[in-house]
Amino acid sequence: MSAWEELGDRTWVRRYPEYDVNVGLVVGSEGALVVDTRGDLEQGQQLLADIREVTELPVRWVVNTHAHFDHVFGNPAFPEAKSYAQENTAAAVAETVAIDISFSVAKVIELGDRRVEVLHLGNGHTDGDVVVVVPDVDVYFAGDMIEESAPPSYGEDSFPLQWADTVDRLIGLLTATSKVVPGHGAVVDAEFVRDQNSDIGTVANTISGLHHNGTSLEGALAHAEDWPWPQAHLEQAVRRGYAALGAPPRPTLPLLGLEKDE
C-alpha cells in the first residue's frame, strides 16, 4: 500500500498503484490543496480518507494538472473544494467533470500562511498542462509533462513539436535542490528533467528532420533509428507532428551532370 512522502513543510506526494499515478497535498493555515484526484469517484473518496492520515483541515482547493481521466475523474469526491484547471483542460472535461475556476496562463491560490502558483507554460502532453509550484519548499508538481516510471506519453492530444520548449520553461524555474513530482513514478530532480527533455527534443527534431527531407508519413512511422524510446511508443508523436507540419515537401532530384540547353 502506498504512503505519503513528505517533500517539505506540509507538502506531500502519494504514489498510487492504480496507473502508478501521483497525487499532491499541500496544507496551509486555512485548509488543504490537492493536486489531481485519481481516476474515479471511489478512488477520489479513498484519497480523501488517506488525506485524513496527515491533516484534519478541510480540502478547500483541487488543482488538475491536465484533462486525462486518471488525474481528474476523482474530483466529485471533493464537493466542498474549488477546482482549478487551465481553460483547455476545463473545456476537455466539461461534459464529465465540472471545473469551478479556469484560467489561461497563471493562477495564485492563497492557502493562508502560504501560496501555491499554478502555471501553464505551453503545450506538451496536452494543451492544458499546468505545473503546480509550492515556492516556499521548492516543489513542482509537473503532471504528465514529466514521467519517471515510463517514457513520456504521446497521445492523440499531445504536442510533440512544442513539448521540449514547454519543459525548457519549467527548467528555467528549477534550482539544484528543486523536487519535481512527475505524473507517474518517483520524485525527480532538475537533472532528470533536463535529461528527459533532451530526449523529448530528439523526438521533435527527428520528426521535423524526416518531414523536411520529404519522408512520407508512412515512411516516418516505419523509421526505426534515432528515437530515444521504442518506435512503437512514438506512433502518435509522429502522427501529431506530421499533422502540425502539413504535407511533407516533394523530394527534388539533383540536376548535376545535366547539360543546359543553349
Side-chain angles (χ1 to χ4, degrees), residues 3-18:
W4 292 106
E5 175 187 353
E6 190 164 9
L7 304 174
D9 176 34
R10 295 170 294 162
T11 304
W12 296 267
V13 62
R14 192 165 183 139
R15 182 177 174 181
Y16 284 93
E18 296 85 359

Side-chain angles (χ1 to χ4, degrees), residues 1-173:
M1 187 63 183
S2 61
W4 292 106
E5 175 187 353
E6 190 164 9
L7 304 174
D9 176 34
R10 295 170 294 162
T11 304
W12 296 267
V13 62
R14 192 165 183 139
R15 182 177 174 181
Y16 284 93
E18 296 85 359
Y19 314 110
D20 195 25
V21 71
N22 285 321
V23 168
L25 177 65
V26 185
V27 174
S29 59
E30 294 186 2
L33 178 147
V34 174
V35 182
D36 290 337
T37 57
R38 308 181 68 198
D40 58 34
L41 174 60
E42 183 179 358
Q43 291 181 4
Q45 291 171 334
Q46 181 61 57
L47 168 59
L48 180 57
D50 292 340
I51 288 170
R52 294 297 165 237
E53 296 175 6
V54 292
T55 183
E56 290 297 327
L57 288 173
V59 177
R60 294 187 56 195
W61 308 275
V62 163
V63 180
N64 297 115
T65 59
H66 61 289
H68 292 162
F69 80 97
D70 50 331
H71 298 262
V72 71
F73 278 15
N75 281 21
F78 301 89
E80 304 302 317
K82 289 286 186 184
S83 56
Y84 292 74
Q86 203 274 343
E87 59 191 13
N88 294 324
T89 293
V93 302
E95 295 184 2
T96 52
V97 177
I99 298 296
D100 297 310
I101 299 171
S102 62
F103 60 93
S104 176
V105 176
K107 197 74 177 177
V108 175
I109 305 175
E110 298 288 347
L111 278 58
D113 61 343
R114 68 197 310 195
R115 74 181 191 278
V116 165
E117 301 168 0
V118 189
L119 308 176
H120 174 60
L121 302 176
N123 299 331
H125 179 64
T126 72
D127 62 0
D129 296 337
V130 296
V131 178
V132 182
V133 185
V134 192
D136 61 323
V137 289
D138 201 15
V139 169
Y140 296 76
F141 295 92
D144 286 4
M145 278 205 304
I146 299 296
E147 293 204 40
E148 186 275 334
S149 55
S153 178
Y154 292 90
E156 295 181 354
D157 53 355
S158 65
F159 292 80
L161 304 183
Q162 300 177 39
W163 196 330
D165 289 340
T166 299
V167 178
D168 272 341
R169 298 182 190 106
L170 168 60
I171 291 169
L173 303 175

Side-chain angles (χ1 to χ4, degrees), residues 183-207:
H184 305 266
V187 177
V188 301
D189 59 11
E191 182 179 4
F192 179 97
V193 175
R194 285 192 292 269
D195 288 345
Q196 184 163 98
N197 202 40
S198 177
D199 290 338
I200 292 171
T202 295
V203 171
N205 290 338
T206 301
I207 293 170

